[in-house]
Amino acid sequence: MQGGPKSSSQPDAGQREPRSDLEIVFVDLTRFAADLAHEETRTPRLSADDNVRADTMVDHEARRLWRAARIATRIVLERVVGESVRGVPFRIEPGGRPVLSDGGAHFSVSHSAGAALIAVAREMAVGVDIEEKARILKMSKDRRTRVLDAVARLQGTPPRSSADADVLEAWVQLEAIAKARGTGIGRLLTEEGVIGGKAKSPAVTDAPDNFAVKLLTVEGFVAAIAAARLSADIVVESFSLEQPAPLRRGKAD
């Protein structure tokens, strides 16, 4: 089980008070990869496991961007939890969700087309997903209908059209829910009849764990977040290596 917030009332060095329990940061990995690599050399934050995983990646560009995303994730976590997270390996839960072994915060990360979206929350599980808006979906009409029906059930809204834009918005919401639950997308898709059996009726309303889901406005991308509680004024910030918090980039729809 993912740990909760630290009990200590004194923040670690370099820690800052978040404006709310939820921090969402967009990272342009293409722009910041070199700076993040330099920052990691100056102040190591990755764990031994992180470095081993990066070293196993054959594709140089994929390795460079994954490593940049991991460094950025640890920097965002450090700004919320403190320097104690430096070098600490993430524990991977059975559903594939990475967590901090000793608690302190919940977090979720998603990568797409040279970008990453990172969410950190102190008191609640959170899930995010991001996809490039220009992505062309190779999905059958039946699968599109099942994806749209699943989100309609979980959100209590009418199904939308099967156009790429609507299906992509539905998909990132399903991914965000799966990450917040910590069960993995495969299990959620199976439970909701998207894969592996007969499609469910769109009228069935059995939202898992009562997670709230919102689409996020991020230029050039489709993104969503899921958590137990989501305010109406969610802010997506742009990553910066400088303190205090990064600049605002978008908002929740």
Side-chain angles (χ1 to χ4, degrees), residues 13-27:
Q15 184 179 356
R16 66 179 176 83
E17 282 297 317
R19 285 185 292 276
S20 69
D21 181 49
L22 184 62
E23 299 270 323
I24 311 172
V25 181
F26 173 86
V27 188

Side-chain angles (χ1 to χ4, degrees), residues 147-160:
V147 167
L148 292 163
D149 287 349
V151 171
R153 283 192 299 273
L154 299 176
Q155 294 281 67
T157 57
R160 300 174 68 178

Side-chain angles (χ1 to χ4, degrees), residues 138-229:
K138 296 180 179 179
M139 191 181 293
S140 69
K141 183 177 180 180
D142 177 65
R143 182 62 55 81
R144 288 169 182 254
T145 299
R146 293 187 185 210
V147 167
L148 292 163
D149 287 349
V151 171
R153 283 192 299 273
L154 299 176
Q155 294 281 67
T157 57
R160 300 174 68 178
S161 79
S162 59
D164 278 7
D166 287 338
V167 176
L168 198 55
E169 286 188 353
W171 181 261
V172 296
Q173 290 177 79
L174 291 177
E175 285 272 16
I177 292 172
K179 290 180 179 180
R181 293 177 70 189
T183 57
I185 187 64
R187 178 172 170 180
L188 179 61
L189 294 180
T190 300
E191 290 176 353
E192 291 303 316
V194 177
I195 60 174
K198 184 178 179 180
K200 283 189 175 183
S201 166
V204 176
T205 54
D206 53 355
D209 307 320
N210 297 316
F211 280 106
V213 190
K214 285 183 179 290
L215 290 169
L216 302 170
T217 301
V218 183
E219 185 179 352
F221 294 86
V222 179
I225 183 166
R229 303 180 306 279

Side-chain angles (χ1 to χ4, degrees), residues 5 8 32 64 70 77 95 109 163 169 177 196 216 219 234 246 253:
S8 172
F32 280 102
R64 186 176 77 95
R70 202 65 151 193
L77 276 169
V109 186
E169 286 188 353
I177 292 172
L216 302 170
E219 185 179 352
I234 296 174
D253 283 348

